[in-house]
Amino acid sequence: MEIQRGTKFRLYPTPEQASILEEQGHAARGLWNLLHEWWTWGGRHRRPSLKQADEAIRQARKEIDWLTVLPAQAAQQVLKHYTRAWANFWDGRAKPPRFKSRIRSRMVIDVPQGRDLDVTKLSRRWATVKIPKVGVVRFRAHRAIPGRVTGARLVNEANGWHIVFRTTWEQPDPAPHAGPSVGIDRGIAVPLALSDGNHQHHGPWLRPKEAERLLRLERQSARRRRTRVRGEADSKRLTRTYDQIADLRGRAARRRADWQHQTTRRLADTYSLIGVEDLNIAGMTRSARGTVAHPGRNVRAKAGLNRAIQSEAWGQLAEQLTYKTAERGGTIVRVPAPGTSLRCHVCGFITPGSRESQARFVCKNPQCGWAGNADLNAARNIHHAAVRAATAPGSGVAGRGALQPLGGATKRQPKRREPVS
């Protein structure tokens, strides 16, 4: 099987090299915006060809001086990503491409060909890479680069520039995994609830002092934004506050990614079949603000829930589980989400009021009466659906399973009607 992977390292450019990288990053963002303005000119039904777009980029690089700092291959990659964004929109997988602002978009530069990078190992922890129009830049080689390098991407994050090498290699197909099966329920109070009771927990991504400092900086930036004149550049104080906020949030994101990688690798090594919910995360985190005519309810509480869901990065965790499980001969099954938290995993009934609280589930069926943790009940429902999907004849191991209890067909307990007096 062919493995394609991205390996990330921290770059340590000189001040002159960092200045050139920033110029290239802004040029790539500006080229995207120029391309977007040219592409959307003339109405929504205009469909320019790739040849026309390529000619427009070549002409722009001749007429606009600051575009020449960006290598020609990196400019072609901007066109490639832009056309792919439109293809994803036309296929219904994403929103249409839009203007990239200077503040809300991070600087990204693509190096499509790996032969131009010339990676050289200097010592046990240090190596160099040759970047077009920048020169030889050192990076922290904390691990070996697996496989063959086919390209790279330069990304500017809160703690500096990073390089992500695109690598590929061939390896034998893995033998079928011999481990047990499990269902996983992703949540907030319990990050990963497993059907066998082996729940996975983590602490807060920021330490108490760091969380206090982040809150203080956010309030400080809000006060300074009130005095900012619309259309003018940010003051140096406000820019410095933004950088400090980005540094703390980036620190939390790196800790979350580290926990997710370690946890997903441990789960992929242990279990052969993993069932997860097919969640509509974008719909779950949609704002409840509403409109002026029809305002929403509990807007602040919903906003807090949205932040908690986004801080867990459920989609990223599912992607890591998918490729790590496949590399080890296992299978991941995505089951429909409706009903997993309301159905009793023992009897299969859905009765009103069974979910007594966020953490406790009590089956109201008189013949059952199971009581326990609500996340554990949901994880076992997911496990039942994943096993049924994997063992269904003709459906394939990776098929989507019908959400049914293991003991029989799904039933819904009828509501009890009180006599009218």
Side-chain angles (χ1 to χ4, degrees), residues 182-244:
V182 71
I184 300 178
D185 177 63
R186 290 166 287 179
I188 303 300
V190 180
L192 295 180
L194 275 61
S195 57
D196 58 0
N198 185 24
H199 302 335
Q200 303 294 315
H201 298 271
H202 64 74
W205 304 127
L206 291 177
R207 299 185 181 93
K209 293 294 184 181
E210 293 173 338
E212 293 177 4
R213 183 166 178 261
L214 177 61
L215 180 60
R216 185 172 64 253
L217 290 172
E218 289 175 342
R219 291 174 175 173
Q220 189 178 86
S221 67
R223 289 194 303 269
R224 290 174 177 172
R225 280 199 304 269
R226 297 193 193 104
T227 61
R228 178 179 176 269
V229 179
R230 186 179 181 87
E232 293 186 357
D234 296 334
S235 64
K236 293 183 179 180
R237 289 184 177 182
L238 183 57
T239 303
R240 184 170 64 252
T241 304
Y242 283 154
D243 293 340
Q244 293 171 343

Side-chain angles (χ1 to χ4, degrees), residues 404-416:
Q404 296 180 353
L406 196 58
T410 303
K411 298 180 181 179
R412 180 179 291 270
Q413 185 78 356
K415 294 183 178 180
R416 181 179 300 174

Side-chain angles (χ1 to χ4, degrees), residues 307-368:
R307 287 192 296 269
I309 293 176
Q310 292 170 348
S311 67
E312 294 294 331
W314 289 345
Q316 181 177 334
L317 187 138
E319 291 180 0
Q320 293 178 13
L321 270 178
T322 300
Y323 75 80
K324 291 180 182 180
T325 304
E327 290 179 1
R328 290 159 177 78
T331 305
I332 184 168
V333 179
R334 297 176 183 266
V335 302
T340 54
S341 60
L342 302 177
R343 178 179 289 105
C344 177
H345 74 278
V346 176
C347 64
F349 282 95
I350 298 178
T351 54
S354 295
R355 190 71 180 264
E356 292 188 346
S357 65
Q358 186 67 26
R360 183 165 178 79
F361 182 92
V362 178
C363 182
K364 301 301 182 180
N365 183 10
Q367 287 77 27
C368 178

Side-chain angles (χ1 to χ4, degrees), residues 63-378:
E63 298 177 356
I64 303 176
D65 295 337
W66 53 266
L67 283 179
T68 57
V69 70
L70 187 67
Q73 295 178 351
Q76 294 298 320
Q77 288 297 106
V78 173
L79 174 60
K80 179 180 178 181
H81 293 316
Y82 185 79
T83 54
R84 184 181 300 169
W86 274 116
N88 292 334
F89 168 67
W90 292 330
D91 294 339
R93 295 191 299 267
K95 294 182 179 180
R98 59 181 182 177
F99 180 86
K100 287 187 176 182
S101 68
R102 185 184 182 95
I103 298 176
R104 297 185 179 275
S105 60
R106 63 179 182 177
M107 289 183 282
V108 176
I109 309 165
D110 276 302
V111 183
Q113 296 182 355
R115 66 172 182 267
D116 299 333
L117 295 172
D118 191 19
V119 179
T120 304
K121 190 76 172 178
L122 297 180
S123 62
R124 181 170 171 265
R125 293 295 184 182
W126 291 95
T128 59
V129 58
K130 187 177 181 181
I131 301 175
K133 292 194 174 184
V134 177
V136 179
V137 184
R138 294 195 311 159
F139 68 92
R140 184 75 170 175
H142 61 278
R143 55 177 170 172
I145 302 176
R148 180 174 59 89
V149 177
T150 59
R153 168 173 285 192
L154 308 174
V155 183
N156 187 18
E157 297 184 355
N159 60 336
W161 282 93
H162 296 74
I163 183 168
V164 182
F165 292 105
R166 291 189 291 269
T167 60
T168 180
W169 68 90
E170 296 281 345
Q171 70 179 31
D173 293 339
H177 202 295
S181 59
V182 71
I184 300 178
D185 177 63
R186 290 166 287 179
I188 303 300
V190 180
L192 295 180
L194 275 61
S195 57
D196 58 0
N198 185 24
H199 302 335
Q200 303 294 315
H201 298 271
H202 64 74
W205 304 127
L206 291 177
R207 299 185 181 93
K209 293 294 184 181
E210 293 173 338
E212 293 177 4
R213 183 166 178 261
L214 177 61
L215 180 60
R216 185 172 64 253
L217 290 172
E218 289 175 342
R219 291 174 175 173
Q220 189 178 86
S221 67
R223 289 194 303 269
R224 290 174 177 172
R225 280 199 304 269
R226 297 193 193 104
T227 61
R228 178 179 176 269
V229 179
R230 186 179 181 87
E232 293 186 357
D234 296 334
S235 64
K236 293 183 179 180
R237 289 184 177 182
L238 183 57
T239 303
R240 184 170 64 252
T241 304
Y242 283 154
D243 293 340
Q244 293 171 343
I245 292 174
D247 179 67
L248 287 173
R249 290 179 177 173
R251 193 177 306 176
R254 291 191 296 273
R255 290 171 182 170
R256 178 186 62 211
D258 180 69
W259 179 84
Q260 285 186 341
H261 276 292
Q262 294 189 35
T263 304
T264 52
R265 180 171 183 174
R266 186 165 55 249
L267 294 174
D269 289 338
T270 305
Y271 300 102
S272 61
L273 176 67
I274 300 176
V276 295
E277 289 178 295
D278 191 7
L279 298 174
N280 180 14
I281 302 175
M284 295 174 63
T285 56
R286 190 172 290 118
S287 175
R289 183 175 303 172
T291 61
V292 176
H294 303 283
R297 299 173 57 187
N298 299 327
V299 178
R300 293 180 64 87
K302 184 61 169 61
L305 177 62
N306 293 347
R307 287 192 296 269
I309 293 176
Q310 292 170 348
S311 67
E312 294 294 331
W314 289 345
Q316 181 177 334
L317 187 138
E319 291 180 0
Q320 293 178 13
L321 270 178
T322 300
Y323 75 80
K324 291 180 182 180
T325 304
E327 290 179 1
R328 290 159 177 78
T331 305
I332 184 168
V333 179
R334 297 176 183 266
V335 302
T340 54
S341 60
L342 302 177
R343 178 179 289 105
C344 177
H345 74 278
V346 176
C347 64
F349 282 95
I350 298 178
T351 54
S354 295
R355 190 71 180 264
E356 292 188 346
S357 65
Q358 186 67 26
R360 183 165 178 79
F361 182 92
V362 178
C363 182
K364 301 301 182 180
N365 183 10
Q367 287 77 27
C368 178
W370 183 88
N373 184 266
D375 296 324
L376 177 62
N377 176 72

